[in-house]
Amino acid sequence: MNAWEEGFLAGLKPEKSLTVSEWADTYRILSSKASSEPGKWRTSRTPYLKEPMDCLGTQSSVQRVVMMFAAQTGKTEAQNCWLGYVIDHAPAPMLLVQPTLEMGKRLSKQRLEPMLQETPCLAEKIPPPRSRDSGNSQFAKTFPGGVLILTGANSAASLKSMPAKYIGLDEVDAYPGDVDGEGDPVALAEKRASTFTKRKILLTSTPTIKDFSRIEAEYENSDQRKYFVPTPCCGAFQVLKFDQLRWKDKDPNTVKYECEVCNKQFDETAKTTMLRKGEWRATKPENAGKTAGFWLNGLN
């Protein structure tokens, strides 16, 4: 068999099916411009991101993923891994919504462009924005098989402009209640995916005011997954809670966590192992369906 025949036959082989976390662990490079730990992405650094990310992959039957996370816990990085996965592995039209157009511009410049430029398989598909006719601008990234449109929740025209198989709705608690008299921006954006049977919609936010929070309402309508970790003292799985923190003489340097099962205390050095052995559990399995909800506080 000659080289031409080998190449032709290799092209007929179906591409290996990957989850979002597998794609990220294999291909994604963290830029020094956007990360305190540049280099190869490792999901094991933040193991609680694996399941939400994989629910966004093509193998999962989940259509909507809700991430009600504390600030600085990785929800935007999970979204960026999904974005890279779509561009490289499952191309289709994608809409990414930030609270405002200005925030969309900032995300594009500070987070997306470094990832696109420094992850080789993405750089091959989306040339730098300064290239002539690159199809890469601050608000639009064209790639083989699809396009990524970035917009703000304060722009009704952008939210209604195109059908999209994938919808990313970031920091939804900062969205306006009504946009340009056209209605709820989340509902407007989700309609863009209504014609796709295998659509994926991601909603993320740090919650704001209880009982008035968009992300809280979305989470309550999901299967309400929480991250259970085993304690080093007795191995009992539990969700980390702030009211289990203990310290002496109000000195934060003495803080320890008290196991709610055996009441023994341990310090933060145990957290890495606990998180690695943790698992998501649905606390409202009766709500299981097309929406998977994930809740995480700042102790993780």
Side-chain angles (χ1 to χ4, degrees):
M1 183 181 297
N2 61 38
W4 185 90
E5 289 173 320
E6 288 180 357
F8 176 78
L9 292 175
L12 294 178
K13 293 180 181 178
E15 192 169 332
K16 180 184 177 184
S17 181
L18 296 172
T19 65
V20 175
S21 64
E22 286 171 343
W23 179 88
D25 285 333
T26 303
Y27 298 109
R28 187 176 174 193
I29 303 297
L30 294 168
S31 168
S32 59
K33 298 176 184 178
S35 174
S36 59
E37 297 183 54
K40 195 171 178 60
W41 167 276
R42 295 200 306 271
T43 305
S44 58
R45 289 173 175 171
T46 47
Y48 51 79
L49 293 180
K50 184 179 187 299
E51 189 166 323
M53 285 164 56
D54 289 349
C55 284
L56 293 164
T58 55
Q59 305 94 330
S60 173
S61 62
V62 170
Q63 289 188 353
R64 300 173 82 249
V65 174
V66 176
M67 295 178 70
M68 182 176 168
F69 276 31
Q72 303 299 315
T73 48
K75 56 186 182 295
T76 300
E77 288 305 328
Q79 175 185 264
N80 290 344
C81 287
W82 177 44
L83 186 152
Y85 170 89
V86 167
I87 293 170
D88 185 50
H89 191 71
M94 185 176 197
L95 179 65
L96 184 57
V97 184
Q98 291 289 297
T100 65
L101 286 168
E102 185 59 35
M103 291 178 71
K105 184 188 298 185
R106 191 183 312 148
L107 177 75
S108 180
K109 181 178 180 180
Q110 297 178 357
R111 306 292 283 273
L112 298 187
E113 282 301 335
M115 180 181 75
L116 295 176
Q117 293 173 21
E118 299 199 23
T119 300
C121 62
L122 301 181
E124 291 175 1
K125 291 179 169 62
I126 303 181
R130 56 185 174 273
S131 300
R132 180 177 296 180
D133 300 324
S134 70
N136 181 356
S137 66
Q138 283 188 323
F139 295 111
K141 317 286 184 183
T142 303
F143 50 91
V147 61
L148 167 66
I149 300 296
L150 288 92
T151 189
N154 57 347
S155 172
S158 297
L159 295 175
K160 298 169 63 179
S161 64
M162 58 170 263
K165 183 176 182 178
Y166 306 114
I167 310 285
L169 302 162
D170 197 18
E171 293 298 345
V172 296
D173 271 19
Y175 288 11
D178 179 88
V179 54
D180 300 335
E182 298 282 348
D184 176 44
V186 171
L188 289 174
E190 289 204 37
K191 285 180 182 177
R192 300 302 93 213
S194 60
T195 58
F196 293 90
T197 57
K198 295 184 178 181
R199 57 188 171 272
K200 295 285 183 178
I201 297 168
L202 171 65
L203 300 96
T204 80
S205 193
T206 300
T208 51
I209 303 172
K210 185 172 176 56
D211 298 326
F212 292 92
S213 166
R214 242 196 202 97
I215 201 72
E216 178 187 47
E218 293 285 357
Y219 177 74
E220 288 181 350
N221 288 325
S222 73
D223 54 6
Q224 298 186 24
R225 304 183 196 191
K226 292 187 176 182
Y227 200 64
F228 286 74
V229 294
T231 57
C233 41
C234 66
F237 277 79
Q238 54 204 268
V239 176
L240 296 179
K241 301 172 183 175
F242 282 98
D243 58 12
Q244 292 300 116
L245 296 176
R246 305 287 183 264
W247 53 83
K248 297 177 181 179
D249 302 320
K250 298 182 180 180
D251 181 1
N253 293 317
T254 66
V255 69
K256 291 191 175 183
Y257 192 91
E258 184 174 289
C259 174
E260 61 186 32
V261 176
C262 71
N263 301 123
K264 290 184 179 180
Q265 298 181 359
F266 52 90
D267 61 27
E268 193 173 0
T269 58
K271 192 168 78 168
T272 299
T273 300
M274 291 167 62
L275 291 178
R276 190 176 68 248
K277 295 180 178 179
E279 57 188 47
W280 287 102
R281 296 180 182 178
T283 60
K284 288 284 184 179
E286 62 271 24
N287 290 351
K290 297 298 183 181
T291 300
F294 299 89
W295 177 96
L296 197 77
N297 65 28
L299 286 177
N300 292 272

